[in-house]
């Protein structure tokens, strides 16, 4: 749902451009805190990941297929600020180079798809993670709910923008109904794939999931040969530490 | 993965449009699109003027029409929405091609189609006449934060690598008999996404280490300084000023 040029009128587009620029500025400062000097390469690679994963189509129903938006996924995996930054970069690249989403609507797109999804998705994820027991399954459930809610909320925010600066006079209730209705369905797909992706990363490299830092135990190297041998935390080296600097 | 990225977006050439500094072209395109968006939709002639302006740029830049048309397809989802509009919108009805449709919905559909298409074509022309790397340098000249430009450089450089990795994972899945038929296959797709994330992130860590060992301190050296002369700014200003003129006439003189 990349908004093209001409869908939202000029004043609102410019105003949201300012909002988006502010959001990106906050993201830049926050990302430096999350990743320090590794920001450029890591955020760049994560952006490339989001870009690639948006091409990953999955079948929804009766021949149609959907693809991941990835805002919530990025926020949970790399942190909300870096997530906003990566989504904004992807949207900017898509608008400038691939003509996907209008240049004048870039502010709208970044505000709706980047900032809103990351803020809502990550906030909800942290809230649920704090309440639920600290297991991999419940973190998966938390990311499921976070992604499920973030997509219709993003549609609702778009409807709000449309109500202020829309250029067509389709009655608002119809737009809201269609947008939010469709996006509840998209949200289910997004939620399934987000939860499964977060769970699979948690299973292999829990240290990479920013949203779960301090919530999951580091992996242990189980030694002893016999099946069901207990871990030896003292001598165990987490497989992840080898790859870390 | 350094050189030889034949991004098929860029069409190499040596025309006046190709030679303009990238930041001039970026500013020109953004101003042009803003002028288009700000034009009242009832002034049909103004959109004709904009289309002619873009056609002139394409002619000077020697970008073939067929190439532009092939790339306009990104617009399709919104075209579908635009065609639905006349039937959704309320207000006075009107006759159009033998159908009774909403007058304002028809105008709204026209508005989205015209402005959206002009914006898409403007972006396509920009990407077709400017190498991606140069566009990033142009953004840097326009005071876009350094860190953001660096992130975009990394994204551009590795987008193909990551996409290629994803392609190989798909081949591996399919050669083991996997076919995504319905929602039940979603966990497999998601595990691939998870593996792709880990591979991307770890590649980022390796890239960072490689950069550190080559003396990276947080900023990239500027290898190519692009400057624009007054004449080049003037040439780049032709498109947006013509569009702004058309927009102003459309507002004040009516159609």
């Amino acid at each position: 749902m990349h908004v093209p040029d001409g869908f939202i009128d000029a004043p609102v587009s410019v105003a949201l451009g300012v909002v988006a620029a502010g959001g990106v500025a906050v993201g830049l400062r926050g990302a430096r805190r999350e990743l320090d000097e590794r920001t450029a390469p890591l955020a760049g690679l994560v952006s490339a990941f989001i870009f690639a994963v948006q091409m990953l189509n999955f079948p929804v129903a009766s021949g149609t297929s959907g693809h991941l938006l990835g805002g919530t996924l990025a926020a949970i995996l790399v942190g909300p600020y870096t997530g906003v930054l990566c989504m904004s970069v992807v949207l900017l690249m898509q608008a400038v180079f691939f003509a996907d989403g209008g240049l004048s609507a870039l502010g709208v797109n970044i505000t709706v798809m980047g900032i809103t999804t990351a803020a809502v998705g990550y906030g909800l994820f942290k809230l649920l993670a704090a309440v639920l027991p600290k297991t991999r399954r419940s973190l998966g459930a938390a990311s499921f709910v976070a992604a499920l809610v973030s997509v219709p909320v993003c549609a609702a925010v778009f409807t709000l923008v449309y109500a202020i600066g829309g250029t067509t006079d389709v009655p608002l209730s119809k737009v809201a109904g269609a947008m939010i209705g469709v996006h509840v369905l998209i949200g289910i797909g997004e939620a399934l794939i987000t939860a499964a992706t977060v769970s699979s990363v948690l299973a292999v490299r829990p240290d990479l999931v920013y949203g779960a830092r301090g919530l999951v135990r580091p992996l242990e190297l189980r030694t002893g040969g016999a099946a069901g041998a207990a871990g030896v935390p003292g001598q165990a080296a987490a497989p992840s530490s080898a790859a870390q600097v | 993965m350094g050189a030889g990225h034949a991004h098929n977006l860029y069409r190499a050439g040596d025309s006046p449009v190709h030679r303009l500094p990238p930041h001039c072209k970026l500013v020109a395109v953004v101003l042009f699109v803003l002028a288009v968006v700000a034009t009242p939709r009832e002034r049909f002639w103004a959109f004709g003027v904009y289309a002619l302006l873009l056609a002139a740029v394409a002619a000077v830049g020697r970008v073939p029409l067929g190439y532009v048309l092939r790339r306009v397809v990104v617009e399709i989802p919104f075209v579908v929405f635009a065609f639905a509009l006349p039937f959704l919108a309320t207000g006075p009805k009107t006759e159009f091609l033998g159908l009774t449709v909403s007058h304002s919905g028809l105008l709204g559909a026209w508005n989205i189609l015209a402005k959206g298409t002009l914006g898409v074509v403007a972006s396509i022309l920009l990407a077709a006449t400017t190498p991606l790397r140069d566009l990033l340098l142009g953004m840097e000249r326009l005071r876009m934060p350094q860190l953001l430009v660096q992130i975009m450089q990394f994204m551009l450089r590795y987008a193909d690598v990551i996409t290629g990795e994803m392609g190989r994972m798909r081949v591996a899945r399919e050669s083991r008999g996997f076919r995504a038929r319905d929602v039940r296959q979603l966990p497999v797709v998601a595990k691939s996404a998870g593996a792709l994330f880990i591979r991307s992130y770890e590649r980022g860590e390796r890239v960072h280490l490689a950069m550190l060992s080559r003396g990276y301190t947080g900023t990239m050296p500027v290898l190519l300084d692009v400057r624009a002369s007054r004449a080049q700014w003037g040439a780049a200003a032709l498109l947006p000023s013509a569009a702004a003129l058309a927009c102003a006439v459309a507002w004040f003189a009516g159609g």
Side-chain angles (χ1 to χ4, degrees):
Chain A
M1 48 171 257
H2 292 60
V3 179
D5 291 308
F7 205 77
I8 302 295
D9 66 14
V12 175
S13 299
V14 171
L16 282 178
V18 175
V19 172
V24 171
V26 172
L28 276 172
R29 296 181 91 190
R32 239 188 269 248
R33 229 179 12 256
E34 284 168 355
L35 297 169
D36 56 72
E37 31 119 64
R38 299 181 304 160
T39 304
L42 279 181
L45 265 294
V46 173
S47 303
F49 162 73
I50 297 175
F51 183 74
V53 105
Q54 286 195 346
M55 295 181 201
L56 201 66
N57 283 298
F58 55 86
V60 181
S62 63
T64 57
S65 67
H67 74 83
L68 195 69
L69 295 174
T72 307
L73 180 64
I76 295 173
L77 288 178
V78 291
Y81 296 110
T82 316
V84 167
L85 207 54
C86 293
M87 283 300 282
S88 308
V89 165
V90 170
L91 291 169
L92 178 68
M93 297 301 233
Q94 284 170 338
V96 176
F97 302 128
F98 301 96
D100 196 2
L103 275 180
S104 70
L106 190 59
V108 179
N109 283 326
I110 290 179
T111 310
V112 172
M113 283 195 275
I115 300 174
T116 310
T117 45
V120 172
Y122 190 75
L124 204 56
F125 175 80
K126 277 312 245 189
L127 200 71
L128 288 172
V131 177
L132 293 170
K134 315 268 176 278
T135 62
R136 188 142 65 81
R137 186 163 297 183
S138 65
L139 286 176
S143 53
F144 181 88
V145 176
L148 183 68
V149 174
S150 74
V151 178
V153 166
C154 145
V157 171
F158 172 77
T159 312
L160 188 71
V161 171
Y162 178 85
I164 304 169
T167 53
T168 52
D169 42 0
V170 177
L172 202 58
S173 59
K174 260 188 199 166
V175 176
M179 280 296 287
I180 296 172
V182 168
H183 282 86
V184 166
L185 290 180
I186 296 177
I188 294 172
E190 177 98 5
L192 284 171
I193 201 162
T194 301
T197 307
V198 169
S199 307
S200 70
V201 178
L202 273 176
V204 189
R205 284 211 45 190
D207 58 307
L208 287 193
V209 182
Y210 184 90
R213 281 195 190 161
L215 294 178
V216 283
R217 280 183 309 140
L219 294 181
E220 292 166 355
L221 189 65
R222 288 188 188 161
T223 51
V232 192
Q235 304 154 0
S240 55
S241 61
Q244 294 263 310
V245 185
Chain B
M1 57 206 89
H5 270 258
H7 270 285
N8 48 11
L9 305 171
Y10 174 62
R11 293 183 62 89
D14 185 36
S15 72
V17 183
H18 283 81
R19 278 195 298 271
L20 276 181
H23 46 296
C24 302
K25 281 190 269 191
L26 264 173
V27 173
V29 169
V30 170
L31 291 180
F32 172 80
V33 171
L34 276 178
V36 170
V37 173
T39 308
R41 59 189 183 184
E42 295 84 7
R43 308 280 183 261
F44 301 117
W45 60 266
F47 296 100
V49 172
Y50 297 142
L52 283 180
L53 285 173
L54 287 182
V57 172
V60 175
R62 296 199 199 93
V63 182
L65 181 68
Y67 172 78
V68 176
L69 288 182
R70 266 200 306 283
R71 292 212 43 223
V72 168
V73 293
V74 291
E75 231 202 340
I76 282 176
F78 274 90
V79 172
V80 172
F81 178 79
F83 276 115
L85 261 182
F87 305 99
L88 288 175
T90 52
K93 300 282 179 187
T94 184
E95 286 275 323
F96 184 70
L97 299 176
L99 293 168
T100 311
V101 292
S102 154
H103 182 66
S104 67
L106 200 59
L107 270 181
W110 154 254
N111 185 53
I112 291 173
L113 273 185
K115 292 180 178 175
T117 310
L118 287 168
V120 165
V121 172
S123 294
I124 291 172
L125 289 179
L126 177 67
T129 57
T130 322
L132 301 187
R133 239 196 88 69
D134 291 9
L135 272 177
L136 291 180
L137 285 176
M139 288 182 191
E140 201 170 352
R141 289 285 302 179
L142 293 172
R143 302 283 163 82
M144 170 118 27
Q146 250 260 328
L147 189 58
L148 204 57
V149 176
Q150 278 185 41
I151 295 175
M152 288 192 281
Q153 282 172 341
F154 278 105
M155 184 203 151
L156 264 192
R157 175 156 300 168
Y158 287 101
D160 287 354
V161 178
I162 304 293
T163 316
E165 203 141 56
M166 194 176 72
R168 288 191 291 282
M169 285 160 77
R170 183 180 56 77
V171 170
R173 278 197 309 270
E174 282 172 9
S175 52
R176 284 161 181 77
F178 173 79
R179 263 183 61 202
R181 269 180 299 269
D182 59 46
V183 183
R184 275 169 301 173
Q185 271 89 41
L186 221 121
V188 179
V189 178
K191 282 202 180 69
S192 304
L196 189 68
F197 169 74
I198 294 170
R199 289 184 185 183
S200 311
Y201 198 93
E202 286 178 342
R203 188 183 290 277
E205 288 173 336
R206 290 197 300 276
V207 168
H208 174 243
L209 286 181
M211 286 162 66
L212 282 185
S213 63
R214 286 161 180 77
Y216 176 70
T217 53
T219 51
M220 290 294 229
V222 179
L223 297 178
L224 180 69
D225 196 15
V226 277
R227 278 173 201 286
S229 68
R230 211 169 276 268
Q232 285 171 319
W233 274 113
L238 281 176
L239 175 73
S241 35
L245 188 69
C247 180
V249 172
W251 270 100
F252 297 111

